[in-house]
């Protein structure tokens, strides 16, 4: 939920990349009072929220189906491995 006055509006969703199919499978969201959220856990790697789950509004279905977003994710994925 956006904090008033902070002007920071984030969306977050989790997915699995299937490189053989060149596909992205979006994982289910958490439904809280009719609004969909995705949970995020960094363990000890975020000093402001140590060992806590954080929740952000999920990407819309429209965004998840966006071909440009898919191309960006797959491009970045392919950059993560050296030949």
């Amino acid at each position: 939920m956006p904090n008033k006055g902070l002007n920071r509006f984030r969306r977050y969703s989790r997915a699995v990349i299937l490189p053989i199919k060149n596909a992205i499978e979006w994982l289910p969201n958490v439904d809280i009072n009719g609004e969909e959220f995705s949970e995020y856990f960094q363990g000890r790697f975020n000093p402001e929220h140590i060992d806590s789950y954080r929740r952000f509004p999920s990407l819309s279905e429209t965004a998840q189906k966006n071909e440009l977003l898919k191309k960006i994710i797959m491009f970045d994925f392919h950059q993560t491995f050296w030949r």
Side-chain angles (χ1 to χ4, degrees):
M1 187 165 262
N3 293 330
K4 291 184 179 183
L6 293 182
N7 297 322
R8 189 172 183 188
F9 303 99
R10 292 187 271 184
R11 297 268 174 187
Y12 178 79
S13 289
R14 299 175 307 136
V16 174
I17 296 173
L18 305 169
I20 293 172
K21 291 183 175 182
N22 194 39
I24 299 168
E25 294 288 329
W26 296 97
L27 298 176
N29 300 313
V30 176
D31 186 296
I32 300 172
N33 299 324
E35 192 171 353
E36 292 191 351
F37 291 89
S38 291
E39 291 189 321
Y40 184 77
F41 182 76
Q42 281 186 284
R44 289 186 254 155
F45 299 106
N46 185 340
E48 295 178 38
H49 302 278
I50 296 174
D51 291 330
S52 63
Y53 282 88
R54 299 172 71 197
R55 206 174 275 146
F56 296 104
S58 299
L59 288 175
S60 67
E61 262 188 67
T62 303
Q64 290 178 359
K65 292 178 181 178
N66 184 291
E67 284 301 312
L68 178 58
L69 178 60
K70 178 184 172 185
K71 287 179 182 180
I72 291 169
I73 292 170
M74 295 308 290
F75 175 83
D76 288 349
F77 171 74
H78 290 297
Q79 300 306 304
T80 61
F81 299 97
W82 293 347
R83 293 192 174 117

